[in-house]
Structure formats: structure tokens, C-alpha cells
Amino acid sequence: MSGDDELDLMLGTLDGLVLRTLTWRPAHGYAIARWIHDTSGGRFRILDGALYTALHRLEEQGFVDSEWGLSDKGKRAKFYRITTAGRRHLRTESARWDRYVETVARVMNAGEAPA
Amino acid sequence: MWRRYLRFWRPSLEDDVNDELRFHLESRVEELVGQGLTPDAAAARARDEFGDVEAARDRLARIDRRIQQHRGRRSWWDATATDLRHVLRRLRRAPGITVTIIVTIAIGIGSVVSMYGVMQLLLLAPPPHVTQPERVVRYYRTFEAVPGQPARVTDQLSWPDYQWFARDAATLSSVTVVREFDVVAGATGSARKVHAAGVGPAFARTLGVRPVVGRFFADAETDPVTGTRRVVLGYRFWRRFYDGDAGVIGQTLPVKGRPYEIIGVAPRGFRGVDFADVELWLPLSVFDDGESSPSWWHRAAYSGSGILTIVGRLDAGTSLAQASDEGTRLMRAAFEERYGGSGRRVPRVAITARPVTGALDAAGTVIPEARISAWLVGVAAVVLLVSCANVAGLLILAAMRRRREVAVRMALGESRRRLAAQLVVEGIVLALAGGAAAMAVFAAGGRWLHHLLLPAMAWEPASVIDVPTAMVAIAAMTMVTIIVVLAPLAHTGRDPVSALREGDARSGLRRSRVQTGLLVAQTALGIVLLVGAGLFVRSLQALGNLRLGLEPDHVLVVQLNYAGTGRVTRDIVPVYERALERVRALPGVEGAAVSVNVPFRGASSAGIHFPGLDSMPPLPGRGYPLVNYVSPGFFRTTGTRLLAGRDFAEHERATGDVVIVNEATARLAWPGRSAIGECVQQQAGGPCATVVGVVENARLFQLVDEEPSVLVYRPLDPALDDDRALLVRVPPERIDEMRRTLWQALEALEPGLPYADITTLQSTLDPQMRPWRLGASVFVAFALVALVLAAIGLYAAVAFTVTQRTREIGVRMAIGAAAPDVAIMVVFDGLRVGLGGVAIGLLAAFWSSRFLGDLLFAVSPRDGLVLGAAAVLMLLVTIGASLVPAHRATQVDPLIALQSE
């Protein structure tokens, strides 16, 4: 998880995870990082820097919006919200992920090829 | 709040990124400390989980900068598009005001640009296709005043004059001559009269003009004696008759019946140094070509007979003054040589070189049309100012009507910036729409003015909308845009939006004194222009009712043209006689005759003696007796009444012993008694011709101010070897149809006839009518514009007051005022302003119309009917303009009106 290659490889997936997180409610970057960490049981080891890069890129692509607001503890924080385009993007991405997972699973679980 | 505002406008991306990351790291540290780690360990862990903070910071800032740039562009467009949609919706909702504003702008800009375009063409623009036109000059000769003869200026110089210039003028790099004339061109049957120019050597070189096809003449080709039969086509002629085919070079075009070889085509819009459209460019030798009598004008012996305009190109570094001085020196030397030894007095002459820019007549003074056009630019500028004032009034009215909407939108949190931006967008939309409509006004108005001022000129739209005219258009547009954008803002003071929001009487929205003054002024302007229009129309009427002693609008004049056929007048006379017989039998012809002279186109003097009248008293009119030879039926044809006696009989045509005299002659020779049977001699002791009839005095020279001359009509001998014309009386309403019928009849009668000139007698008078027609047309047009503007201005002002007094009107209606009462109240509001304007306008017209006195005909500049009609018309317009808001006032619902404020 430290090389650039690996990061790039993970990028699409990370985008999906971030967007998914934002479907429930707007959140700031820290909350998103914690949520992904907690729901994945800490199995993904994602660098927070990469997470922020993903967030800002998503904003550039128009999939999320940002706005400054106050956190639970009354501190100024940047909140992200998923846009309509973001939701659409998430739908296609998760469908593609499902197909990917299903295909990988089918190959992995197949019996020995007939001789 | 302030910092955020600043950040919004001058954002610091780095600060934002830092804040975001700091929040993240602080939150993480806090949480880890909560889980029991030491602050240092927590910080180290947080950084470890984050990765390279510095690299992330840079990366994020880069992404954010891209986002921001993109958004800046997007949001400006989005906001403008939204404003535009909003403004268009709003304008559609009040179509009356929108259309009125656009029309007002269009009239204002359109009239200024049209007038300026014409003035530019007449006074400021050099002739097209002349290279370095500031170097090209035209020579005028002044004969200095001598006792009994005032100074005389002319640009008509002679061929020998030109030869002196060509040989000796050191200030010129090149010099040429040109003369415009009408000539018959085309093959038999399709021949027509065209406007042409005969040009001398170096014509194209002197003007610096290049043909679009082929070439111009070589110097030797244009010599008046040895020139060749070659022709250069005018651009329009080429397009019209040859479809712009470049293959015309080498083809033959008959000119005066002789074959001329086409060698080139002049560029589009090229008209030499004058204003008329030249259809053919020909060598000087064309003047002598095909003429039976020997030529004279280019001989040294006739050096005083000027028919040519000399045009020169100044050498680099020489001035107009130097050219004039040299010209004077050369001309004086030439005159000394020509007349010095003859014992005759040598005329004192001077030469003036003038630029070719600007419409000058033969005497070198600016033509009246050009002066009038310059004056009209001023009128049009006033019209533009009035238009702008009215547009401002209309916009303020529109803003008033919208004030509740503005309040609602502000309450909903729309920013002032947006509201103001919308006013700006609205102004620009209106100004652009008005400008586009103005181009339509310009296209129509420019063509109309052009037709009015310069009927004979080639009108190439490209030469009318030139750079300076376009600049004027842009300047006018800019001015209107600024006014349209600023008017609603300026009117309501420094803080427009809050004023609009409050929008009640207390915010100072009363009709100001300036506004009232403006309304009065434009009503007055309308009256002055209406009075001018009325006076000119009455003059035209009076001219139409003038008893001329003949009816020019009933008469067609036929002149047969045998140029190039080699036939002499003696052969042609019988053709006229046969044509007379044939034409008399045509249905629709009410009379026909032949005569030597045609009224308004020339007259002959004659010797005359009345036996018994020993010493001839001073003759009226021209001061010498005139004669015309006419066939029987002449008076019936021209509509000249026979006062006593009878017309000639057919059998008297060859005898010549009878005459008909006009009333002036009868009065002079036989005062107080009948002239019938009296004797008229050509000279004392000559044979007697008996007076058989007396006819009324008929005009011979001009439309107005002509005192009748002594005129004797003699029968026209069919064998008389003299050129003549055929006059045909037809119903005026069928004149065009009869012209064609006549031509067909003549063609059938005389198949070899190359061309017949068939014109109305009236057309000879048209140039004399032009000053009145011009005055009437221009004044009527501007009066209509002024009426429309006054109506719009009054409408806006009255509607404004109605909107402002909605509450008051509501109260009145609530306490029982009937709708008609309210309407009358509103109309009276308009009438008060209108009456003031009419009163001042009448005074102004009364005072200023005396300047028109000289231009009018048979109508007093203070004609009561005209003044009264103008006043009534303007008051009707005032009432009309007030009726719309009056109707609106009666629709006020008291309840809503009272709640609204």
C-alpha cells in the first residue's frame, strides 16, 4: 500500500467507497476515513492522504460538493456531499464491481477443466 | 464573516487545504489520546496513517486551483444565462413597453445613422476607387467681375485649356478631362439611352482607378479626333446586361449605332469625380462619331467654348494653393496669347484647384442637397436625444411596475448584486435589440433618403455604410446602451434597489421638472416639424393647382433618335408626319401634334412687327418676341385654351399666312380690341400673316415666377427641314401604359428606328419641383418621427404617474369615483403637458417659419390652417397616448391598491 502502482490500482475502488460513505449524509474527511476504517474492520489500510486526494478529485469531477461547516465539536471543517452525478457514477461503479467480483469468484470456484 | 467574504473573493486555497488537513490531524490525535496514547505518540501515529503530509498538501492545492478556475468561468456564464432568461421572461411579460423601447431606440439610432450616411457620402467621403483622393483636384475658372457683369465661376473648360495644362503644369503628375452626357447604346430594338462619360488621355492614371476586368484606355485611344471605338463598361451596366461575364472583352456594343469594342469593366461603384452613375466610359472621340456636321469644340479657334472638366493629380509635395497659382498663371498666359492681339479686352481670369471630395456644383459651391443633409444630421441628433430621454422614461416606468417583485425577491435572499446585474443585462438586451431594429430603419431610411437626395446616383450599399458611418452607429449604440443601463439606476439615486423595494411616493418618484420640461420640449418640436411639413405640403398643392397654360402631366413627348444611321433631319421629317397620323388613330390618344419647340425645353426668338404700332413698346417677359411652329391640334394636345378665334386648319400648314398669338401679344399690340383678323409681319413691310386665334399665356421656361413673353405660333410646314418633336395627349393615369403602346406603334411603323425618347412633359419640370418635394418629404418624415416620439414620451410619463398614484386612484374608486372620472383625470394629466407643448410649439413655429418663407410657394409661413391642424393633430396624439394608461387606471382594484403599499 505504499507504492504509487498500488495506490493507482486502488483509486477506482477508493472512489466507490468514498461515494458510498457519502450516500447517507454529508461528512468531513476525517469522518469518512473513520467510517471506512470501522466498516471494513480495519482490513483496508488506506493512507489518509490518498483519501483526501480522492475526495478532491471527485470534487473536480463534479461527483461531490464541498462546503465549510462546523463539526460535532464545534470546529470549522470541510464537509463533502454527494451530487446527483456522483450517485449515478456510484451506481455504474458498483455494478461494475459486482460483475468483477462475480467473474473472479466464478473462475476461482470452478472445478478442474475437463481433460 | 468579513474574512469569509474576503476569502470568497480573493480565496486562499492553501489556507483552506491547511485548515482541512489540520482539522483531520487534530481530530485523529484527539481520538488517539482519548484511547490512552501520549500526545507525542498520537501525533506520530496520525502522521504515519496520513502519509506524506507535504506532498498531499501540494497535490490538493493543485486540484483545488483547477476546480476554482473551472468554477469561476462556469458560474459567470451560469449567472449571466440565468439573468438573461429572467430578463427575457420579464420583457415578454410587458410586451408593450418592450416593443415601445425597441422602436424608440431604433428610430433614434436609425435616423441619425441614415442622415449621417448620406451626409458622409455627399460631403465627406472621396469618390470611390480613386487612389489618394486628397491629391486629386478639379479646376474651376473664375471670370472676374467687370462693370455690368458679376464674377462667374465654372468648371467647364476647353480642350485647348487642357492642352496648356498637360504641356506646362509642373505641379501635376498627371491631368485629364471628362464630360458626362447621355448617349444611345445597344443594338437596334434594344437600344436605350444611357448615362456615359467621355474621357481624355490619362484618365485612369490620374484617378488611380483599376478596372475589374480588362483595361482602361491607352492615351492615344481617347484623342478627340483620332480616338478609337472602344468602350469600358460601368459595373452595374455589366452586371445587368452581361450578367457579369468576364468574356465580354472583345465583344461589340453599338454606341450611337457604331460598333464599339468592349475593352474593360470599371470597378463597382466607380463614378469618376461626380455623383451620377456612369454606365459607359468612352473616349472623347465619341462626341464627333456619327455626327453629320463637322466638329468644333476641340479646335483651338473655339478655345473659349468650355464643355470639359479638367481633373489633375498633384505631384508629391505640391499644395492646392500652388496648383491654383500655377493654373492662374497658365490660364492668363493662354488668354493673353488667344485674345491679346485681337484688340478685344482680355478677360481677367483666375484658376482655383479644389479637392474632388464633397458634392460641388459647376460653380464650385456645395450643392443644396448636401447642405440640407448636413442640417438634417442636426435634426436627427435631436431626435436621438429625445429618443434616449423617452427610453429612460419608459425604463423608469417599467422599474416602478416591478417594485413589488423586487421586494419579494430581496426578501427571498437574492443579492443586490444580482438585481443590479439584471438591470444591466436588461439594458444591454434592449439596446442590442434596438440597435438591430435600427439597422432596419437605416436600410429603409438610407435608401429613401438616397432616392430623395440623389436620384441619379449609383447606389451601392457598400459605399453608404462605410467606416465613419459605422463609427457613428457604434457611438450612438454605446450612448443608448449607457443611458438604458444607467437610467433606472440614476433615477432612483445611489441605492437603486432599496428605492425600488420601498417604491412608494416617499422615495421621491415624482415626475421631475426636467422630465416635464423634456415632454413639453418634444411636443413643441413635434409641432414645429408638423407645421413645416404642413407648409411644404400646402406649397406642393398650390404648385399642383397652378395654372400653367398647359397640362404637362397629360403630355408625352416623342423624339426620334437616328444617331448612327447616317440619316439627316430632312429624311426624318416625313417619319414624324407618318408617326403623327399613326398615333392619332391609337386608342387612348386624346390628341397629337408636332412642333419645333417643346415647352420647357427651349424656345426660338423671331422678328416681329405689328403694322400700325410704329414704335415697339418694351416687351414683357423675356424682352424679345418668341415663335413656335406647331401643327393643328397642338393646343388641344398641350391643354392650352383658345381664348378667341380658331386653331390652324390642316390645309394652312404649308401656306404660312396665318398666325395664332398668345394673350400677352394681343394685349400689347391691340389693347382693348379683338386681335382676330389683324396683321403680323416678320419685319416692317414684310408679308402679312393674319391672326386667326388667341390662346392663353402658357409657361415656356419654368414652373414659377415667369412673366408671359410675346409669343407667336406659326403653322409647321410638313416640308420644313427642322428638327421637331411629336407631342401626344394621353390620360395621366395611363401614362406608362401609353408610353409602351407608343413605342410599339413606332417600331411597327419604322422598323429601322434605333431609338425613340419618350418622356412626359412633366418630367422636364420635376427638377424644378424638387426643392418643394424634398422639403415636404423630409419634413413629413421627421414630423411623423416626432409625433411617434412625443406619443411615446407622453405615454411613459402619464403611465408613470398612474402607477405612482395607484393608491390614490384606489382610494378615489373606493369612495365612489366612477371609472370614466378616473379616466378623465388621467387624460387631463396628459393634456396638461400636451397643451403646454402645443402652445410653446405654436409660438416657436410662428417665429421660426419665416425662415421657410423663401422656400414656400403661395402659402403664408403663418398659414392658420396649417398651424391649427398641427395643434389639433398633436392634441389628438396626446389624448391617444393618455388613453392607454387611463384604461389601466380604471382597472385598478381598490382593495388591492390599498393593500399593496
Side-chain angles (χ1 to χ4, degrees):
Chain A
M1 289 300 302
S2 53
D4 269 353
D5 287 353
E6 270 181 280
L7 185 71
D8 283 346
L9 203 73
M10 291 293 295
L11 200 59
T13 319
L14 183 56
D15 284 357
L17 294 180
V18 168
L19 288 174
R20 184 77 190 126
T21 312
L22 290 173
T23 48
W24 289 288
R25 73 186 69 82
H28 47 70
Y30 182 66
I32 297 169
R34 295 323 302 158
W35 195 84
I36 292 176
H37 182 262
D38 293 350
T39 45
S40 67
R43 257 177 278 176
F44 287 138
R45 215 182 75 85
I46 301 167
L47 281 178
D48 292 327
L51 179 86
Y52 277 95
T53 308
L55 268 172
H56 283 238
R57 285 211 176 124
L58 285 170
E59 184 173 12
E60 188 183 9
Q61 288 164 299
F63 296 142
V64 302
D65 258 350
S66 70
E67 197 178 12
W68 286 90
L70 293 180
S71 73
D72 300 342
K73 295 176 181 145
K75 283 191 185 162
R76 213 168 78 81
K78 195 171 176 188
F79 282 78
Y80 293 88
R81 192 181 56 212
I82 189 167
T83 63
T84 317
R87 287 181 193 280
R88 210 179 303 127
H89 184 68
L90 176 60
R91 265 201 301 281
T92 48
E93 281 304 297
S94 58
R96 187 185 297 170
W97 179 250
D98 286 349
R99 265 202 318 282
Y100 178 76
V101 169
E102 189 196 332
T103 313
V104 171
R106 197 184 299 160
V107 174
M108 290 299 177
N109 300 334
E112 194 187 337
Chain B
M1 175 74 198
W2 188 235
R3 250 189 65 199
R4 276 200 63 188
Y5 186 79
L6 262 188
R7 177 171 293 148
F8 179 73
W9 287 104
R10 229 176 318 137
S12 164
L13 289 166
E14 289 74 13
D15 286 356
D16 272 356
V17 170
N18 281 336
D19 285 359
E20 186 176 22
L21 298 187
R22 194 185 311 123
F23 170 76
H24 178 93
L25 294 172
E26 280 172 2
S27 300
R28 186 65 185 142
V29 169
E30 216 169 287
E31 193 178 333
L32 290 172
V33 168
Q35 289 172 8
L37 269 71
T38 64
D40 283 350
R45 170 111 171 252
R47 284 186 167 278
D48 188 40
E49 283 173 0
F50 196 93
D52 186 341
V53 177
E54 286 311 312
R57 207 195 305 276
D58 286 352
R59 210 159 49 230
L60 297 186
R62 229 175 13 248
I63 297 172
D64 282 5
R65 197 164 299 119
R66 283 205 304 267
I67 293 176
Q68 194 188 40
Q69 282 166 356
H70 181 69
R71 248 185 220 155
R73 280 195 297 270
R74 267 266 307 274
S75 72
W76 190 87
W77 279 112
D78 285 353
T80 310
T82 311
D83 288 346
L84 196 62
R85 267 197 303 278
H86 188 87
V87 161
L88 289 178
R89 203 162 53 231
R90 197 153 79 191
L91 293 175
R92 263 206 307 277
R93 238 182 3 236
I97 288 193
T98 304
V99 168
T100 313
I101 289 177
I102 291 174
V103 166
T104 310
I105 295 175
I107 288 176
I109 297 181
S111 47
V112 158
V113 177
S114 309
M115 280 319 314
Y116 185 83
V118 170
M119 187 189 78
Q120 159 77 17
L121 190 67
L122 282 176
L123 283 176
L124 308 174
H129 302 292
V130 175
T131 42
Q132 291 183 304
E134 68 284 353
R135 289 251 196 91
V136 180
V137 298
R138 182 172 178 156
Y139 284 97
Y140 294 83
R141 176 162 56 197
T142 307
F143 289 93
E144 289 173 10
V146 291
Q149 233 180 1
R152 194 161 60 83
V153 182
T154 177
D155 68 342
Q156 298 290 288
L157 306 178
S158 70
W159 176 253
D161 292 336
Y162 157 75
Q163 287 173 314
W164 274 83
F165 275 90
R167 199 181 59 221
D168 295 332
T171 51
L172 300 178
S173 63
S174 161
V175 59
T176 188
V177 288
V178 59
R179 173 180 176 77
E180 295 190 7
F181 67 114
D182 287 340
V183 69
V184 174
T188 301
S190 65
R192 52 189 288 276
K193 199 192 263 183
V194 299
H195 190 67
V199 303
F203 180 74
R205 191 163 69 244
T206 306
L207 294 188
V209 59
R210 279 186 197 85
V212 285
V213 180
R215 61 179 180 92
F216 262 96
F217 306 106
D219 288 357
E221 286 175 323
T222 57
D223 187 273
V225 181
T226 62
T228 47
R229 287 185 183 146
R230 304 250 154 91
V231 57
V232 172
L233 305 182
Y235 189 87
R236 285 217 304 184
F237 188 89
W238 178 56
R239 298 295 305 208
R240 195 166 150 203
F241 296 104
Y242 294 93
D243 276 340
D245 175 14
V248 290
I249 306 300
Q251 288 186 26
T252 300
L253 170 72
V255 176
K256 295 174 93 176
R258 313 278 154 139
Y260 275 65
E261 186 198 332
I262 299 171
I263 60 165
V265 178
R268 179 177 183 175
F270 176 66
R271 46 183 163 81
V273 294
D274 273 307
F275 275 86
D277 180 28
V278 173
E279 293 169 282
L280 298 178
W281 301 92
L282 293 157
L284 283 179
S285 50
V286 72
F287 292 116
D288 288 354
D289 199 6
E291 299 297 324
S292 45
S293 48
S295 60
W296 46 269
W297 60 270
H298 43 77
R299 310 235 170 129
Y302 293 91
S303 57
S305 312
I307 63 164
L308 303 171
T309 301
I310 299 184
V311 177
R313 175 173 289 274
L314 295 178
D315 230 342
T318 53
S319 66
L320 279 176
Q322 284 169 320
S324 301
D325 290 347
E326 185 189 53
T328 302
R329 213 165 50 243
L330 286 176
M331 193 53 61
R332 285 188 178 154
F335 269 51
E336 197 59 46
E337 190 180 298
R338 281 177 209 164
Y339 306 114
S342 66
R344 286 170 57 192
R345 192 187 55 80
V346 179
R348 286 283 292 173
V349 292
I351 288 289
T352 317
R354 289 181 195 278
V356 289
T357 295
L360 306 181
D361 60 13
T365 50
V366 175
I367 61 170
E369 284 84 351
R371 280 206 305 272
I372 290 175
S373 73
W375 192 77
L376 289 178
V377 171
V379 176
V382 173
V383 166
L384 177 62
L385 286 179
V386 170
S387 304
C388 286
N390 284 349
V391 168
L394 286 165
L395 282 169
I396 291 164
L397 172 65
M400 282 280 293
R401 291 209 177 135
R402 280 208 306 265
R403 62 185 192 253
R404 203 160 307 123
E405 176 206 321
V406 169
V408 168
R409 283 169 51 196
M410 287 200 67
L412 289 175
E414 194 153 309
S415 74
R416 285 156 189 249
R417 185 178 287 274
R418 286 299 297 282
L419 287 172
Q422 279 178 11
L423 282 180
V424 172
V425 170
E426 182 180 59
I428 291 171
V429 165
L430 285 171
L432 285 179
M439 288 304 110
V441 172
F442 168 66
R447 190 163 307 159
W448 178 75
L449 280 166
H450 176 270
H451 179 73
L452 199 67
L453 289 163
L454 298 163
M457 200 184 104
W459 193 60
E460 297 294 341
S463 68
V464 174
I465 238 240
D466 44 22
V467 173
T469 309
M471 298 288 279
V472 167
I474 289 167
M477 271 293 292
T478 311
M479 177 174 134
V480 168
T481 310
I482 289 171
I483 287 175
V484 164
V485 168
L486 289 187
L489 300 177
H491 182 264
T492 46
R494 253 191 57 214
D495 191 355
V497 181
S498 62
L500 285 178
R501 187 184 45 187
E502 285 161 23
D504 59 17
R506 278 169 304 174
S507 62
L509 289 172
R510 280 259 157 232
R511 190 191 295 157
S512 69
R513 211 167 275 175
V514 175
Q515 235 176 331
T516 311
L518 205 67
L519 288 171
V520 169
Q522 58 180 279
T523 313
L525 177 73
I527 287 280
V528 170
L529 291 172
L530 273 177
V531 167
L535 291 175
F536 272 105
V537 168
R538 292 262 288 159
S539 292
L540 271 184
Q541 246 177 12
L543 281 167
N545 295 335
L546 209 58
R547 183 68 207 160
L548 301 174
L550 41 76
E551 293 164 327
D553 53 336
H554 285 71
V555 183
L556 281 171
V557 181
V558 182
Q559 274 169 319
L560 307 179
N561 191 313
Y562 277 91
T565 58
R567 294 174 73 168
V568 293
T569 314
R570 195 171 51 250
D571 296 341
I572 299 166
V573 168
V575 183
Y576 273 104
E577 294 300 324
R578 286 210 304 281
L580 176 61
E581 286 311 308
R582 176 77 192 94
V583 162
R584 273 183 177 155
L586 284 177
V589 169
E590 298 171 347
V594 287
S595 70
V596 169
N597 290 320
V598 177
F600 307 115
R601 295 188 192 177
S604 313
S605 62
I608 197 164
H609 182 78
F610 305 108
L613 206 67
D614 292 335
S615 63
M616 194 72 120
L619 298 183
R622 287 275 150 149
Y624 48 84
L626 301 166
V627 66
N628 194 3
Y629 295 87
V630 303
S631 74
F634 176 82
F635 302 108
R636 197 173 64 245
T637 304
T638 58
T640 307
R641 279 176 303 171
L642 200 59
L643 300 177
R646 59 171 177 85
D647 194 0
F648 297 127
E650 274 303 327
H651 71 268
E652 287 168 336
R653 286 188 66 178
T655 61
D657 56 2
V658 288
V659 294
I660 292 173
V661 298
N662 70 351
E663 205 183 347
T665 312
R667 278 235 178 100
L668 179 88
W670 310 283
R673 58 198 166 99
S674 166
I676 306 297
E678 296 287 348
C679 165
V680 174
Q681 296 167 315
Q682 284 208 333
Q683 65 274 327
C688 254
T690 313
V691 175
V692 295
V694 177
V695 292
E696 67 177 319
N697 295 323
R699 291 286 163 78
L700 285 177
F701 303 102
Q702 59 203 41
L703 195 56
V704 294
D705 296 334
E706 180 188 329
E707 205 193 329
S709 301
V710 164
L711 172 61
V712 173
Y713 297 91
R714 295 180 183 276
L716 174 56
D717 186 343
L720 186 72
D721 178 14
D722 215 338
D723 203 5
R724 59 199 62 195
L726 173 64
L727 289 98
V728 184
R729 184 180 181 85
V730 296
E733 67 278 5
R734 292 178 59 190
I735 214 142
D736 285 321
E737 171 202 339
M738 289 308 293
R739 202 201 302 252
R740 281 191 299 277
T741 311
L742 277 180
W743 171 239
Q744 282 158 10
L746 291 170
E747 244 186 337
L749 184 79
E750 193 66 11
L753 178 68
Y755 181 71
D757 198 13
I758 306 178
T759 51
T760 61
L761 192 52
Q762 181 68 43
S763 67
T764 317
L765 285 176
D766 281 344
Q768 298 188 27
M769 301 277 280
R770 277 193 66 214
W772 290 290
R773 289 237 171 90
L774 196 68
S777 315
V778 170
F779 267 100
V780 166
F782 272 110
L784 284 179
V785 166
L787 265 187
V788 170
L789 288 182
I792 291 172
L794 271 165
Y795 160 77
V798 174
F800 172 81
T801 337
V802 166
T803 309
Q804 201 180 33
R805 287 163 68 182
T806 306
R807 183 192 176 98
E808 178 201 330
I809 291 168
V811 171
R812 280 172 192 255
M813 291 185 77
I815 60 175
D821 297 337
V822 171
I824 286 172
M825 181 186 83
V826 173
V827 170
F828 263 97
D829 179 45
L831 262 182
R832 231 180 26 241
V833 178
L835 274 173
V838 166
I840 293 177
L842 283 179
L843 282 177
F846 199 74
W847 174 78
S848 62
S849 59
R850 62 201 163 123
F851 296 116
L852 286 179
D854 292 343
L855 298 170
L856 300 177
F857 179 74
V859 54
S860 156
R862 291 165 183 185
D863 188 77
L865 182 66
V866 169
L867 290 172
V872 168
L873 187 57
M874 186 53 91
L875 286 178
L876 285 178
V877 166
T878 307
I879 293 171
S882 312
L883 278 178
V884 182
H887 175 74
R888 202 187 170 97
T890 60
Q891 303 299 303
V892 168
D893 183 334
L895 208 60
I896 292 173
L898 291 176
Q899 281 172 349
S900 71
E901 300 295 335

